[in-house]
Amino acid sequence: MAAKLKPNPSDHLLIFIVVFLIAIDSFVPSTAAFSSSKWSPRFLGKFSHPNKPHPQLQLQQQSQFQYDTRYFDQRLDHFSFSKLPRFRQRYLISTEHWVGPERLGPIFVYCGNEGDIAWFAANTGFVWEIAPQFGAMVLFPEHRYYGESMPFGSGEEAYKNASTLSYLTAEQALADFAVLITELKRNFSAEGCPVVLFGGSYGGMLASWMRLKYPHIAIGALASSAPILQFEDIVPVETFYDLTSNGFKRESISCFNTIKQSWDVIISEGQKNDGLLQLTKTFGFCRTLNNTDDLINWLDSAYSYLAMVNYPYPSEFLMPLPGHPIREVCRKIDSMAGDNILEKIFEGISVYYNYTGKVDCFELDDDPHGMDGWNWQACTEMVMPMSSSQDSSMFPTFDFDLSSYKEECLREFNVEPRPRWITTEFGGHDIKATLQKFGSNIIFSNGLLDPWSGGSVLQNISESIVALVTKEGAHHIDLRASTDEDPEWLVEQRTTEIKLIKSWINDYYRQKRAVFEI
């Protein structure tokens, strides 16, 4: 979900990717040889096509989770009294297992991320699975400017310019959720029903922030893989890429070294006569590469996503992948005979981009306008600095450069980022001392294989703000549907989360002089 800027020697900057993904940062390469993408790792990726799941998987998910799709007439600006057009906010709702307002049945709300809400609903099986035992209503509101929840009538109009995009902020999104929840509770005569928030990645950030900003709306929040500390100088800027690299290094030092060496080889090959054509053939692109930046970004993206979804079982969260996908990538790279580094890299990266073997060639420009919502958020308030270190990282070396970052945001959107706004609005510095005073009922869950874990809360803050950390966990794996292949540590983690959520609801009922029975 993030973004980074780095000027190319010819001053040509290209839109980059990487997930659900979250963060934006700019940087200047340590040597003129390397140029990289504009946007750094983010939660949902340009090359992952997260809003277009495989048709067979989509049908399976739709039959697995039953809900109604509805729309709410939402305010465009919650923080002014100007007469502005409203927009239709999509939300998914299920009352199948809800015990109703008479029994103060809880309401489980997933805070929509930067993408189509139906895709998040399909990939958040944990919420659906525990709803029956709690007698809970399930609600998935969509984030404004994503999916079908487009202001100004269409995506084209909503993304038209900085003026129309100015209402795309985390604060407005949280207000959307608060207003929708309040109105739905009123419509269901459920004003006394407790609300529990859920969210993964950026959605996890929103869930934790909403619990802090709207404690009267929700009694608790499960924030999975939520890097709320990936701002300013709270965590080292090298953290994300060092952790991503560690995921490959732990599987194979030779694999790590091959990837690290490949960037120089790519640059060198691209400078030859017909070098770009040869790279196009080697990596199977549908059209000839215009420069090596595109290839570097394509690879950078895949490595980052592989670290995020390094699950112990097969999954189709971003792409169809085997269990322990980094292990399989490194096995492919290490087992290929010969000294051709680029052929080794292609063999390995095909695990991510073409594990099914059904892709004939690869497209790079699935977003020809280069204007998705996360890029705007990254250029305004979601400024998450990143860099790549020379020794610990397998990626090209670069340093964070806020000046270059600002220049690119001005060129791209005619807007100047506010790198300190998120910590001003939601906090982050001295978080333990701060939240000990007024925060409660938040679970920060993280798996240490996930590179975003480095920007999250990894230690308990108080008795009710707890960190659940798993050594082998990846990006919000706890929110995914349970499988027969779940390791014991994951089963135990979910059991702990359920117990904590029960305790929040029981405490609420005790205050309401009610008895909660599951």
PDB file of all heavy atoms in Angstrom, residues 1 21-23 43 200-205 208-209 223-231 235 240 382 384 386 422 444-446 450-457 475:
ATOM      1  N   MET A   1       0.811  -1.169   0.000  1.00  0.00           N
ATOM      2  CA  MET A   1       0.000   0.000   0.000  1.00  0.00           C
ATOM      3  C   MET A   1       0.822   1.184   0.000  1.00  0.00           C
ATOM      4  O   MET A   1       0.427   2.138   0.320  1.00  0.00           O
ATOM      5  CB  MET A   1      -0.792  -0.038   1.239  1.00  0.00           C
ATOM      6  CG  MET A   1      -1.326   1.153   1.837  1.00  0.00           C
ATOM      7  SD  MET A   1      -1.755   1.151   3.326  1.00  0.00           S
ATOM      8  CE  MET A   1      -0.730   1.995   3.902  1.00  0.00           C
ATOM      9  N   LEU A  21      -1.711  -3.849   0.492  1.00  0.00           N
ATOM     10  CA  LEU A  21      -1.203  -3.394   0.776  1.00  0.00           C
ATOM     11  C   LEU A  21      -1.509  -2.377   1.285  1.00  0.00           C
ATOM     12  O   LEU A  21      -3.246  -2.520   1.216  1.00  0.00           O
ATOM     13  CB  LEU A  21      -1.997  -3.915   0.611  1.00  0.00           C
ATOM     14  CG  LEU A  21      -2.484  -5.603  -0.131  1.00  0.00           C
ATOM     15  CD1 LEU A  21      -2.550  -6.154   0.154  1.00  0.00           C
ATOM     16  CD2 LEU A  21      -2.894  -5.918  -0.056  1.00  0.00           C
ATOM     17  N   ILE A  22       1.131   0.015   1.560  1.00  0.00           N
ATOM     18  CA  ILE A  22       0.551   1.030   2.399  1.00  0.00           C
ATOM     19  C   ILE A  22       1.331   2.247   2.373  1.00  0.00           C
ATOM     20  O   ILE A  22       0.975   3.155   2.934  1.00  0.00           O
ATOM     21  CB  ILE A  22       0.646   0.549   3.806  1.00  0.00           C
ATOM     22  CG1 ILE A  22      -0.437  -0.434   4.036  1.00  0.00           C
ATOM     23  CG2 ILE A  22       0.474   1.466   4.830  1.00  0.00           C
ATOM     24  CD1 ILE A  22      -0.327  -0.987   5.354  1.00  0.00           C
ATOM     25  N   ALA A  23       2.321   2.464   2.051  1.00  0.00           N
ATOM     26  CA  ALA A  23       3.187   3.524   2.466  1.00  0.00           C
ATOM     27  C   ALA A  23       3.778   4.200   1.281  1.00  0.00           C
ATOM     28  O   ALA A  23       3.922   3.621   0.264  1.00  0.00           O
ATOM     29  CB  ALA A  23       4.300   2.952   3.291  1.00  0.00           C
ATOM     30  N   PHE A  43      -0.245  -2.264   0.142  1.00  0.00           N
ATOM     31  CA  PHE A  43      -0.959  -3.462   0.553  1.00  0.00           C
ATOM     32  C   PHE A  43      -1.555  -4.214  -0.616  1.00  0.00           C
ATOM     33  O   PHE A  43      -1.492  -5.418  -0.688  1.00  0.00           O
ATOM     34  CB  PHE A  43      -2.057  -3.094   1.530  1.00  0.00           C
ATOM     35  CG  PHE A  43      -1.532  -2.434   2.753  1.00  0.00           C
ATOM     36  CD1 PHE A  43      -2.057  -1.242   3.201  1.00  0.00           C
ATOM     37  CD2 PHE A  43      -0.488  -2.986   3.448  1.00  0.00           C
ATOM     38  CE1 PHE A  43      -1.562  -0.637   4.332  1.00  0.00           C
ATOM     39  CE2 PHE A  43       0.019  -2.393   4.585  1.00  0.00           C
ATOM     40  CZ  PHE A  43      -0.539  -1.209   5.024  1.00  0.00           C
ATOM     41  N   GLY A 200      -7.521  -5.630   8.300  1.00  0.00           N
ATOM     42  CA  GLY A 200      -6.199  -6.140   7.992  1.00  0.00           C
ATOM     43  C   GLY A 200      -5.441  -5.156   7.128  1.00  0.00           C
ATOM     44  O   GLY A 200      -6.007  -4.529   6.239  1.00  0.00           O
ATOM     45  N   SER A 201      -4.154  -4.979   7.424  1.00  0.00           N
ATOM     46  CA  SER A 201      -3.317  -4.085   6.644  1.00  0.00           C
ATOM     47  C   SER A 201      -3.795  -2.640   6.846  1.00  0.00           C
ATOM     48  O   SER A 201      -3.943  -2.188   7.971  1.00  0.00           O
ATOM     49  CB  SER A 201      -3.347  -4.517   5.170  1.00  0.00           C
ATOM     50  OG  SER A 201      -2.232  -4.092   4.470  1.00  0.00           O
ATOM     51  N   TYR A 202      -4.038  -1.897   5.759  1.00  0.00           N
ATOM     52  CA  TYR A 202      -4.584  -0.544   5.903  1.00  0.00           C
ATOM     53  C   TYR A 202      -5.921  -0.578   6.642  1.00  0.00           C
ATOM     54  O   TYR A 202      -6.210   0.287   7.470  1.00  0.00           O
ATOM     55  CB  TYR A 202      -4.734   0.089   4.521  1.00  0.00           C
ATOM     56  CG  TYR A 202      -5.450   1.420   4.482  1.00  0.00           C
ATOM     57  CD1 TYR A 202      -5.090   2.462   5.331  1.00  0.00           C
ATOM     58  CD2 TYR A 202      -6.486   1.635   3.566  1.00  0.00           C
ATOM     59  CE1 TYR A 202      -5.747   3.680   5.271  1.00  0.00           C
ATOM     60  CE2 TYR A 202      -7.137   2.853   3.502  1.00  0.00           C
ATOM     61  CZ  TYR A 202      -6.771   3.875   4.363  1.00  0.00           C
ATOM     62  OH  TYR A 202      -7.436   5.087   4.309  1.00  0.00           O
ATOM     63  N   GLY A 203      -6.718  -1.611   6.383  1.00  0.00           N
ATOM     64  CA  GLY A 203      -7.970  -1.758   7.110  1.00  0.00           C
ATOM     65  C   GLY A 203      -7.741  -1.946   8.601  1.00  0.00           C
ATOM     66  O   GLY A 203      -8.543  -1.508   9.436  1.00  0.00           O
ATOM     67  N   GLY A 204      -6.635  -2.613   8.963  1.00  0.00           N
ATOM     68  CA  GLY A 204      -6.289  -2.762  10.371  1.00  0.00           C
ATOM     69  C   GLY A 204      -5.895  -1.444  10.995  1.00  0.00           C
ATOM     70  O   GLY A 204      -6.196  -1.162  12.169  1.00  0.00           O
ATOM     71  N   MET A 205      -5.198  -0.612  10.226  1.00  0.00           N
ATOM     72  CA  MET A 205      -4.867   0.727  10.695  1.00  0.00           C
ATOM     73  C   MET A 205      -6.146   1.509  10.968  1.00  0.00           C
ATOM     74  O   MET A 205      -6.295   2.155  12.017  1.00  0.00           O
ATOM     75  CB  MET A 205      -4.012   1.449   9.657  1.00  0.00           C
ATOM     76  CG  MET A 205      -2.699   0.756   9.352  1.00  0.00           C
ATOM     77  SD  MET A 205      -1.866   1.395   7.881  1.00  0.00           S
ATOM     78  CE  MET A 205      -1.224   2.945   8.497  1.00  0.00           C
ATOM     79  N   SER A 208      -7.905   0.251  14.202  1.00  0.00           N
ATOM     80  CA  SER A 208      -7.298   0.729  15.454  1.00  0.00           C
ATOM     81  C   SER A 208      -7.544   2.218  15.643  1.00  0.00           C
ATOM     82  O   SER A 208      -7.842   2.677  16.745  1.00  0.00           O
ATOM     83  CB  SER A 208      -5.801   0.426  15.458  1.00  0.00           C
ATOM     84  OG  SER A 208      -5.114   1.142  14.445  1.00  0.00           O
ATOM     85  N   TRP A 209      -7.409   2.989  14.565  1.00  0.00           N
ATOM     86  CA  TRP A 209      -7.648   4.421  14.665  1.00  0.00           C
ATOM     87  C   TRP A 209      -9.107   4.726  14.997  1.00  0.00           C
ATOM     88  O   TRP A 209      -9.397   5.647  15.757  1.00  0.00           O
ATOM     89  CB  TRP A 209      -7.260   5.102  13.355  1.00  0.00           C
ATOM     90  CG  TRP A 209      -5.784   5.148  13.102  1.00  0.00           C
ATOM     91  CD1 TRP A 209      -4.783   5.060  14.035  1.00  0.00           C
ATOM     92  CD2 TRP A 209      -5.127   5.303  11.838  1.00  0.00           C
ATOM     93  NE1 TRP A 209      -3.562   5.153  13.435  1.00  0.00           N
ATOM     94  CE2 TRP A 209      -3.734   5.302  12.086  1.00  0.00           C
ATOM     95  CE3 TRP A 209      -5.575   5.445  10.529  1.00  0.00           C
ATOM     96  CZ2 TRP A 209      -2.794   5.444  11.066  1.00  0.00           C
ATOM     97  CZ3 TRP A 209      -4.642   5.578   9.504  1.00  0.00           C
ATOM     98  CH2 TRP A 209      -3.269   5.572   9.772  1.00  0.00           C
ATOM     99  N   ALA A 223      -6.821  -5.374  14.967  1.00  0.00           N
ATOM    100  CA  ALA A 223      -6.034  -4.744  13.903  1.00  0.00           C
ATOM    101  C   ALA A 223      -4.912  -5.684  13.507  1.00  0.00           C
ATOM    102  O   ALA A 223      -3.904  -5.801  14.197  1.00  0.00           O
ATOM    103  CB  ALA A 223      -5.481  -3.408  14.375  1.00  0.00           C
ATOM    104  N   SER A 224      -5.089  -6.363  12.390  1.00  0.00           N
ATOM    105  CA  SER A 224      -4.117  -7.353  11.940  1.00  0.00           C
ATOM    106  C   SER A 224      -3.168  -6.739  10.915  1.00  0.00           C
ATOM    107  O   SER A 224      -3.603  -6.080   9.971  1.00  0.00           O
ATOM    108  CB  SER A 224      -4.853  -8.547  11.325  1.00  0.00           C
ATOM    109  OG  SER A 224      -3.956  -9.538  10.904  1.00  0.00           O
ATOM    110  N   SER A 225      -1.876  -6.963  11.122  1.00  0.00           N
ATOM    111  CA  SER A 225      -0.845  -6.455  10.191  1.00  0.00           C
ATOM    112  C   SER A 225      -1.042  -4.979   9.897  1.00  0.00           C
ATOM    113  O   SER A 225      -1.067  -4.555   8.743  1.00  0.00           O
ATOM    114  CB  SER A 225      -0.858  -7.263   8.887  1.00  0.00           C
ATOM    115  OG  SER A 225      -0.608  -8.616   9.138  1.00  0.00           O
ATOM    116  N   ALA A 226      -1.191  -4.195  10.931  1.00  0.00           N
ATOM    117  CA  ALA A 226      -1.505  -2.770  10.811  1.00  0.00           C
ATOM    118  C   ALA A 226      -0.277  -1.930  11.150  1.00  0.00           C
ATOM    119  O   ALA A 226       0.009  -1.688  12.329  1.00  0.00           O
ATOM    120  CB  ALA A 226      -2.662  -2.407  11.741  1.00  0.00           C
ATOM    121  N   PRO A 227       0.450  -1.423  10.151  1.00  0.00           N
ATOM    122  CA  PRO A 227       1.686  -0.673  10.408  1.00  0.00           C
ATOM    123  C   PRO A 227       1.442   0.783  10.784  1.00  0.00           C
ATOM    124  O   PRO A 227       1.824   1.707  10.070  1.00  0.00           O
ATOM    125  CB  PRO A 227       2.437  -0.796   9.083  1.00  0.00           C
ATOM    126  CG  PRO A 227       1.358  -0.876   8.056  1.00  0.00           C
ATOM    127  CD  PRO A 227       0.237  -1.648   8.706  1.00  0.00           C
ATOM    128  N   ILE A 228       0.836   1.000  11.915  1.00  0.00           N
ATOM    129  CA  ILE A 228       0.499   2.368  12.334  1.00  0.00           C
ATOM    130  C   ILE A 228       1.722   3.155  12.779  1.00  0.00           C
ATOM    131  O   ILE A 228       1.616   4.367  13.024  1.00  0.00           O
ATOM    132  CB  ILE A 228      -0.550   2.360  13.465  1.00  0.00           C
ATOM    133  CG1 ILE A 228      -0.001   1.670  14.714  1.00  0.00           C
ATOM    134  CG2 ILE A 228      -1.849   1.708  13.010  1.00  0.00           C
ATOM    135  CD1 ILE A 228      -0.871   1.860  15.949  1.00  0.00           C
ATOM    136  N   LEU A 229       2.877   2.500  12.866  1.00  0.00           N
ATOM    137  CA  LEU A 229       4.105   3.195  13.282  1.00  0.00           C
ATOM    138  C   LEU A 229       5.054   3.438  12.108  1.00  0.00           C
ATOM    139  O   LEU A 229       6.172   3.907  12.308  1.00  0.00           O
ATOM    140  CB  LEU A 229       4.835   2.378  14.357  1.00  0.00           C
ATOM    141  CG  LEU A 229       4.019   2.021  15.597  1.00  0.00           C
ATOM    142  CD1 LEU A 229       4.865   1.243  16.589  1.00  0.00           C
ATOM    143  CD2 LEU A 229       3.443   3.272  16.261  1.00  0.00           C
ATOM    144  N   GLN A 230       4.605   3.161  10.882  1.00  0.00           N
ATOM    145  CA  GLN A 230       5.469   3.297   9.706  1.00  0.00           C
ATOM    146  C   GLN A 230       5.458   4.734   9.189  1.00  0.00           C
ATOM    147  O   GLN A 230       5.362   4.989   7.995  1.00  0.00           O
ATOM    148  CB  GLN A 230       4.985   2.327   8.614  1.00  0.00           C
ATOM    149  CG  GLN A 230       5.942   2.142   7.453  1.00  0.00           C
ATOM    150  CD  GLN A 230       7.072   1.182   7.759  1.00  0.00           C
ATOM    151  OE1 GLN A 230       6.837   0.117   8.305  1.00  0.00           O
ATOM    152  NE2 GLN A 230       8.284   1.551   7.405  1.00  0.00           N
ATOM    153  N   PHE A 231       5.570   5.694  10.093  1.00  0.00           N
ATOM    154  CA  PHE A 231       5.498   7.100   9.734  1.00  0.00           C
ATOM    155  C   PHE A 231       6.657   7.871  10.364  1.00  0.00           C
ATOM    156  O   PHE A 231       7.183   7.483  11.408  1.00  0.00           O
ATOM    157  CB  PHE A 231       4.169   7.707  10.187  1.00  0.00           C
ATOM    158  CG  PHE A 231       2.968   7.121   9.501  1.00  0.00           C
ATOM    159  CD1 PHE A 231       2.264   6.084  10.082  1.00  0.00           C
ATOM    160  CD2 PHE A 231       2.549   7.592   8.265  1.00  0.00           C
ATOM    161  CE1 PHE A 231       1.162   5.531   9.453  1.00  0.00           C
ATOM    162  CE2 PHE A 231       1.456   7.044   7.621  1.00  0.00           C
ATOM    163  CZ  PHE A 231       0.749   6.009   8.225  1.00  0.00           C
ATOM    164  N   VAL A 235      10.002   4.224  13.152  1.00  0.00           N
ATOM    165  CA  VAL A 235      10.762   2.985  12.933  1.00  0.00           C
ATOM    166  C   VAL A 235      11.836   3.269  11.885  1.00  0.00           C
ATOM    167  O   VAL A 235      11.695   4.180  11.060  1.00  0.00           O
ATOM    168  CB  VAL A 235       9.853   1.827  12.475  1.00  0.00           C
ATOM    169  CG1 VAL A 235       8.813   1.507  13.532  1.00  0.00           C
ATOM    170  CG2 VAL A 235       9.181   2.146  11.145  1.00  0.00           C
ATOM    171  N   PHE A 240      11.218  -2.218   6.161  1.00  0.00           N
ATOM    172  CA  PHE A 240      10.400  -3.023   5.249  1.00  0.00           C
ATOM    173  C   PHE A 240      11.260  -3.873   4.330  1.00  0.00           C
ATOM    174  O   PHE A 240      11.052  -5.086   4.201  1.00  0.00           O
ATOM    175  CB  PHE A 240       9.476  -2.120   4.425  1.00  0.00           C
ATOM    176  CG  PHE A 240       8.586  -2.884   3.480  1.00  0.00           C
ATOM    177  CD1 PHE A 240       7.323  -3.286   3.880  1.00  0.00           C
ATOM    178  CD2 PHE A 240       9.012  -3.212   2.203  1.00  0.00           C
ATOM    179  CE1 PHE A 240       6.503  -4.015   3.026  1.00  0.00           C
ATOM    180  CE2 PHE A 240       8.197  -3.935   1.342  1.00  0.00           C
ATOM    181  CZ  PHE A 240       6.940  -4.338   1.753  1.00  0.00           C
ATOM    182  N   MET A 382      -0.595   9.626   3.741  1.00  0.00           N
ATOM    183  CA  MET A 382      -0.015   8.321   4.060  1.00  0.00           C
ATOM    184  C   MET A 382       1.451   8.260   3.637  1.00  0.00           C
ATOM    185  O   MET A 382       1.869   7.434   2.823  1.00  0.00           O
ATOM    186  CB  MET A 382      -0.824   7.213   3.389  1.00  0.00           C
ATOM    187  CG  MET A 382      -2.295   7.204   3.749  1.00  0.00           C
ATOM    188  SD  MET A 382      -2.596   6.943   5.517  1.00  0.00           S
ATOM    189  CE  MET A 382      -2.118   5.241   5.673  1.00  0.00           C
ATOM    190  N   MET A 384       4.913   7.189   4.208  1.00  0.00           N
ATOM    191  CA  MET A 384       5.590   6.166   5.008  1.00  0.00           C
ATOM    192  C   MET A 384       7.006   5.977   4.460  1.00  0.00           C
ATOM    193  O   MET A 384       7.225   5.259   3.488  1.00  0.00           O
ATOM    194  CB  MET A 384       4.794   4.868   4.963  1.00  0.00           C
ATOM    195  CG  MET A 384       3.341   5.092   5.373  1.00  0.00           C
ATOM    196  SD  MET A 384       2.270   3.667   5.099  1.00  0.00           S
ATOM    197  CE  MET A 384       2.476   2.796   6.639  1.00  0.00           C
ATOM    198  N   MET A 386      10.670   4.947   3.398  1.00  0.00           N
ATOM    199  CA  MET A 386      11.376   3.677   3.248  1.00  0.00           C
ATOM    200  C   MET A 386      12.691   3.892   2.534  1.00  0.00           C
ATOM    201  O   MET A 386      12.838   4.829   1.753  1.00  0.00           O
ATOM    202  CB  MET A 386      10.534   2.680   2.459  1.00  0.00           C
ATOM    203  CG  MET A 386       9.297   2.207   3.184  1.00  0.00           C
ATOM    204  SD  MET A 386       8.455   0.910   2.262  1.00  0.00           S
ATOM    205  CE  MET A 386       7.024   0.673   3.331  1.00  0.00           C
ATOM    206  N   ILE A 422      -0.491  12.312   9.802  1.00  0.00           N
ATOM    207  CA  ILE A 422      -1.049  11.094  10.389  1.00  0.00           C
ATOM    208  C   ILE A 422      -0.702  10.992  11.872  1.00  0.00           C
ATOM    209  O   ILE A 422      -1.553  10.666  12.709  1.00  0.00           O
ATOM    210  CB  ILE A 422      -0.559   9.848   9.631  1.00  0.00           C
ATOM    211  CG1 ILE A 422      -1.260   9.749   8.277  1.00  0.00           C
ATOM    212  CG2 ILE A 422      -0.819   8.579  10.440  1.00  0.00           C
ATOM    213  CD1 ILE A 422      -2.753   9.503   8.342  1.00  0.00           C
ATOM    214  N   PHE A 444      -3.379  -5.983  18.400  1.00  0.00           N
ATOM    215  CA  PHE A 444      -2.476  -5.801  17.267  1.00  0.00           C
ATOM    216  C   PHE A 444      -1.849  -7.168  16.984  1.00  0.00           C
ATOM    217  O   PHE A 444      -1.004  -7.639  17.742  1.00  0.00           O
ATOM    218  CB  PHE A 444      -1.390  -4.776  17.581  1.00  0.00           C
ATOM    219  CG  PHE A 444      -1.884  -3.366  17.670  1.00  0.00           C
ATOM    220  CD1 PHE A 444      -2.079  -2.757  18.902  1.00  0.00           C
ATOM    221  CD2 PHE A 444      -2.161  -2.635  16.522  1.00  0.00           C
ATOM    222  CE1 PHE A 444      -2.532  -1.445  18.996  1.00  0.00           C
ATOM    223  CE2 PHE A 444      -2.614  -1.329  16.596  1.00  0.00           C
ATOM    224  CZ  PHE A 444      -2.807  -0.728  17.836  1.00  0.00           C
ATOM    225  N   SER A 445      -2.279  -7.814  15.915  1.00  0.00           N
ATOM    226  CA  SER A 445      -1.741  -9.127  15.573  1.00  0.00           C
ATOM    227  C   SER A 445      -0.785  -9.000  14.394  1.00  0.00           C
ATOM    228  O   SER A 445      -1.065  -8.287  13.430  1.00  0.00           O
ATOM    229  CB  SER A 445      -2.871 -10.101  15.238  1.00  0.00           C
ATOM    230  OG  SER A 445      -3.595  -9.680  14.095  1.00  0.00           O
ATOM    231  N   ASN A 446       0.342  -9.695  14.495  1.00  0.00           N
ATOM    232  CA  ASN A 446       1.362  -9.624  13.448  1.00  0.00           C
ATOM    233  C   ASN A 446       2.110 -10.927  13.322  1.00  0.00           C
ATOM    234  O   ASN A 446       2.357 -11.622  14.314  1.00  0.00           O
ATOM    235  CB  ASN A 446       2.375  -8.515  13.751  1.00  0.00           C
ATOM    236  CG  ASN A 446       1.844  -7.132  13.467  1.00  0.00           C
ATOM    237  OD1 ASN A 446       1.865  -6.669  12.329  1.00  0.00           O
ATOM    238  ND2 ASN A 446       1.355  -6.458  14.502  1.00  0.00           N
ATOM    239  N   ASP A 450       5.927 -11.151   7.771  1.00  0.00           N
ATOM    240  CA  ASP A 450       5.321 -10.043   7.036  1.00  0.00           C
ATOM    241  C   ASP A 450       6.204  -8.807   7.166  1.00  0.00           C
ATOM    242  O   ASP A 450       6.463  -8.335   8.281  1.00  0.00           O
ATOM    243  CB  ASP A 450       3.933  -9.760   7.618  1.00  0.00           C
ATOM    244  CG  ASP A 450       3.241  -8.581   6.959  1.00  0.00           C
ATOM    245  OD1 ASP A 450       3.680  -8.153   5.867  1.00  0.00           O
ATOM    246  OD2 ASP A 450       2.246  -8.085   7.541  1.00  0.00           O
ATOM    247  N   PRO A 451       6.681  -8.237   6.061  1.00  0.00           N
ATOM    248  CA  PRO A 451       7.555  -7.064   6.163  1.00  0.00           C
ATOM    249  C   PRO A 451       6.874  -5.847   6.771  1.00  0.00           C
ATOM    250  O   PRO A 451       7.553  -4.940   7.251  1.00  0.00           O
ATOM    251  CB  PRO A 451       7.978  -6.799   4.717  1.00  0.00           C
ATOM    252  CG  PRO A 451       6.967  -7.487   3.871  1.00  0.00           C
ATOM    253  CD  PRO A 451       6.511  -8.680   4.658  1.00  0.00           C
ATOM    254  N   TRP A 452       5.529  -5.821   6.770  1.00  0.00           N
ATOM    255  CA  TRP A 452       4.833  -4.701   7.412  1.00  0.00           C
ATOM    256  C   TRP A 452       4.824  -4.815   8.937  1.00  0.00           C
ATOM    257  O   TRP A 452       4.470  -3.853   9.625  1.00  0.00           O
ATOM    258  CB  TRP A 452       3.405  -4.617   6.903  1.00  0.00           C
ATOM    259  CG  TRP A 452       3.295  -4.182   5.478  1.00  0.00           C
ATOM    260  CD1 TRP A 452       2.884  -4.921   4.406  1.00  0.00           C
ATOM    261  CD2 TRP A 452       3.610  -2.888   4.955  1.00  0.00           C
ATOM    262  NE1 TRP A 452       2.930  -4.177   3.258  1.00  0.00           N
ATOM    263  CE2 TRP A 452       3.380  -2.925   3.570  1.00  0.00           C
ATOM    264  CE3 TRP A 452       4.084  -1.711   5.529  1.00  0.00           C
ATOM    265  CZ2 TRP A 452       3.593  -1.825   2.739  1.00  0.00           C
ATOM    266  CZ3 TRP A 452       4.309  -0.619   4.693  1.00  0.00           C
ATOM    267  CH2 TRP A 452       4.057  -0.681   3.321  1.00  0.00           C
ATOM    268  N   SER A 453       5.202  -5.974   9.460  1.00  0.00           N
ATOM    269  CA  SER A 453       5.201  -6.143  10.916  1.00  0.00           C
ATOM    270  C   SER A 453       6.171  -5.181  11.589  1.00  0.00           C
ATOM    271  O   SER A 453       5.966  -4.785  12.740  1.00  0.00           O
ATOM    272  CB  SER A 453       5.557  -7.585  11.286  1.00  0.00           C
ATOM    273  OG  SER A 453       6.899  -7.899  10.905  1.00  0.00           O
ATOM    274  N   GLY A 454       7.223  -4.782  10.875  1.00  0.00           N
ATOM    275  CA  GLY A 454       8.201  -3.868  11.454  1.00  0.00           C
ATOM    276  C   GLY A 454       7.655  -2.502  11.772  1.00  0.00           C
ATOM    277  O   GLY A 454       8.253  -1.756  12.553  1.00  0.00           O
ATOM    278  N   GLY A 455       6.519  -2.148  11.180  1.00  0.00           N
ATOM    279  CA  GLY A 455       5.903  -0.857  11.454  1.00  0.00           C
ATOM    280  C   GLY A 455       4.671  -0.956  12.320  1.00  0.00           C
ATOM    281  O   GLY A 455       3.904   0.002  12.427  1.00  0.00           O
ATOM    282  N   SER A 456       4.485  -2.094  12.950  1.00  0.00           N
ATOM    283  CA  SER A 456       3.294  -2.295  13.772  1.00  0.00           C
ATOM    284  C   SER A 456       3.660  -2.370  15.256  1.00  0.00           C
ATOM    285  O   SER A 456       4.821  -2.224  15.628  1.00  0.00           O
ATOM    286  CB  SER A 456       2.564  -3.565  13.341  1.00  0.00           C
ATOM    287  OG  SER A 456       1.308  -3.678  13.988  1.00  0.00           O
ATOM    288  N   VAL A 457       2.657  -2.596  16.077  1.00  0.00           N
ATOM    289  CA  VAL A 457       2.834  -2.700  17.526  1.00  0.00           C
ATOM    290  C   VAL A 457       3.149  -4.156  17.851  1.00  0.00           C
ATOM    291  O   VAL A 457       2.312  -5.041  17.624  1.00  0.00           O
ATOM    292  CB  VAL A 457       1.576  -2.235  18.276  1.00  0.00           C
ATOM    293  CG1 VAL A 457       1.743  -2.433  19.778  1.00  0.00           C
ATOM    294  CG2 VAL A 457       1.285  -0.773  17.960  1.00  0.00           C
ATOM    295  N   HIS A 475       1.135 -11.841   6.258  1.00  0.00           N
ATOM    296  CA  HIS A 475       0.227 -10.684   6.240  1.00  0.00           C
ATOM    297  C   HIS A 475      -1.206 -11.077   6.609  1.00  0.00           C
ATOM    298  O   HIS A 475      -1.849 -11.847   5.910  1.00  0.00           O
ATOM    299  CB  HIS A 475       0.272 -10.055   4.850  1.00  0.00           C
ATOM    300  CG  HIS A 475      -0.127  -8.607   4.825  1.00  0.00           C
ATOM    301  ND1 HIS A 475       0.438  -7.654   5.648  1.00  0.00           N
ATOM    302  CD2 HIS A 475      -1.036  -7.935   4.077  1.00  0.00           C
ATOM    303  CE1 HIS A 475      -0.080  -6.475   5.393  1.00  0.00           C
ATOM    304  NE2 HIS A 475      -0.992  -6.617   4.447  1.00  0.00           N
TER     305      HIS A 475
END
